[in-house]
Amino acid sequence: MADSLTAAPTRLWRQLALSGFSQLIITVDYNIVYVALPDIGKHLGFSAQSLQWVMSAYAVGYGGLLLLGGRMVDRLGARCVWLAAIMIYGLSSMAGGLSTGPGTLIAARAIQGMGGALLFPAALKMIFTNFPEGPQRDRALSVWAAIGGAGLAAGSVLGGLFTDWWGWPSVLFVNVPLTAGALVAGLLLLPPDGPAKTGIRDFDVPGALLVTASSSLTVFGLASGPDKGWASVQSLGAEAIGAALLFAFVIVEARTLSPLLPLRLLKVRPLSVTMVVSFLFMATLSTGYYLLTTYLQPVLGYSPVKAGLVFLPLCVFSIVGGQLTAPVLAKYGLRRVFTGTLIVNGAGVAVTALGMAADGLVWSLMLGIFLWGIGSGVGFTVTFAAAGMGISPLEQGVASAAVSTTQQVGGATGLAVLVAVANQGLDFGSRSLPSADDIRDRLQLAGVIASVVVAVGAVVTFFFLKGSDPSAPVAVADESADGRCQVEEPLTGGFRFGA
C-alpha cells in the first residue's frame, strides 16, 4: 500500500511537522527532567518522597487544564491556542531553571504543565482535522509519535550530558530556544483561524476549576500519605475533598449549556474505554521511568550521562513501536492491537523490574527494556487513534484532551502510590542509609505492581472493545447559531472497532 501521506498537500505536511515538533518539545522535557531528578533533589533539598513532585506538579497542571485546553482549541482555533501555549511553556521553563528552592521549581513545573495542556490538544487538532479517520490519520499519528519518540531519545541523552556539563538548570533552559524557534515557525506556517465559535463568557470556567482542584487534591493526598499517614487529615481529607469535587464536576457538566466535557461523548465506546485504559497505562509508564532512573543512579551509582545512555534503547524501541502502529491496526483492528500492546508493555515492565541486580545490568533487564519500549510506543499511538474514532471534527480537541487528562492524572496518581511502595520501610533520614539491596527490592516490588496495573488495562480492552455495531449512533455535535454544541446525530456509516 502506498504511503497515504504522500498525496497530502504541502501545507498539511508543514502542519504535521509543527504538530510533531510540539510533541518533540514535550517529550524532550519529559525524559530530560527524569534523568536530572537525582541532581535536582540533591541541590534543592527535596526528600526521597517529595522529589516526585517535580514530575507530579507538571502532571497535575497538565491534566487539570487539558479539558479546558481542548475546548479552547475547538472554540478559538488551533493556531491561537498553540501560539499562546508555546510562549507559556518557554517562559515557565526559564523560571524553573532559575529556581533556588523546591517551592519555586514545583510552581514553575505546574505552570509549564498548564502550557502543555494547551499545546497538546492544539497539535492533535491539526492532525485530526487535516487527515480523515482511517489509514491516513493512523499514518499521520505514527509520524507524530515517531517525532515524539525522537524527543524521548534526545531527552535521555541530553539530560545526562547537560546535567554533567552545566548542571540541572540546563535541562529546563533548553526549552527556551526550542519554544522560541517553534513560535517563529508557527507565526510563519500556521494559517489564520476562522472566527471564534464562541465568546469567552461561554467557557465552562466552573468545570475547569473543579476538575483542576479535584485532580490536584487527589494527587496531593496520595503523595502526602507516606509522610503524614494515610489516615491523616492532610492525606485522607485531601482525597475525600478531591472525590467530592469530581462528583460536583460531573453535576456541573450535566447542567451547563457549554460543558467542558459533554457527557454524551462518554457514550462513544472507544473514547470511554480509552480514557480508563490510558489512566492505567500512564500510571505504569510514569512509575517505570522513575523506578529505572532511581535504580541506575542511587543504586548502581551511574552518572547522569551513563544513565541517559541506558534510557536511549528504551526510547529507540518506542519509536519503532510507534511506526508499527498503523500497519498492525489496519491488519488486526483496535481491540487486538490495544490488548496485545498492553500485554507486551506490562511484561516489559515486569521483566525490567525483576532484572534489576544490585551489581549492575543483566540481559533480562535489557529484554524488559525492549518489550517495554515496543509496547509503550504502540500503546501511546493507538491510544490517540482510538480517542478520535467516532468523534465529530468539531469536538476532536476535547476528545483528545479528555484522554490526555486521564493519562496525566493517572501518571501522577500511579507515581504517588508506587513511589510510596518503593520507599516504604526505607529510612532515608537516618545516618545509616538504606542499602542498595534494600532499595532494589522495593523498586522491584513497585515494578511488579505496575505490571499488574497494565494487565488490568488489557482485560478492559479485551472485554469492553469486543464486538461492534457499524450502524450504532455515536455522539457527534452540531453547532447552533450561538456556537453551543446541542445536537446529537449518528455518524454516517458508523465506525468499526474490535475483531
Side-chain angles (χ1 to χ4, degrees), residues 11 83 164 240 274 281 380 442:
R11 68 175 182 84
L83 293 173
D164 266 0
T274 300
F281 175 68
F380 186 80
R442 300 303 303 183

Side-chain angles (χ1 to χ4, degrees), residues 93 121 137 171 194 241 253 306 330 346 350 391 399 417-418 442:
S93 297
R137 184 183 295 174
V171 304
I241 296 172
E253 298 309 280
K306 193 173 180 180
I391 303 296
V417 173
L418 292 176
R442 300 303 303 183

Side-chain angles (χ1 to χ4, degrees), residues 256-347:
T256 186
L257 291 175
S258 185
L260 200 63
L261 175 62
L263 298 183
R264 58 183 159 71
L265 289 182
L266 301 182
K267 298 177 183 178
V268 183
R269 193 187 297 184
L271 177 60
S272 58
V273 171
T274 300
M275 288 174 67
V276 173
V277 175
S278 63
F279 180 95
L280 302 174
F281 175 68
M282 196 66 180
T284 301
L285 189 64
S286 294
T287 301
Y289 272 77
Y290 189 96
L291 298 180
L292 186 57
T293 196
T294 302
Y295 168 66
L296 293 173
Q297 296 187 63
V299 174
L300 297 187
Y302 280 20
S303 68
V305 171
K306 193 173 180 180
L309 291 175
V310 175
F311 270 95
L312 185 58
L314 175 63
C315 302
V316 171
F317 296 141
S318 180
I319 295 173
V320 173
Q323 292 307 292
L324 293 174
T325 306
V328 297
L329 266 178
K331 185 173 183 178
Y332 297 108
L334 177 62
R335 179 196 175 211
R336 291 176 181 173
V337 174
F338 217 161
T339 302
T341 193
L342 290 170
I343 292 172
V344 171
N345 185 75

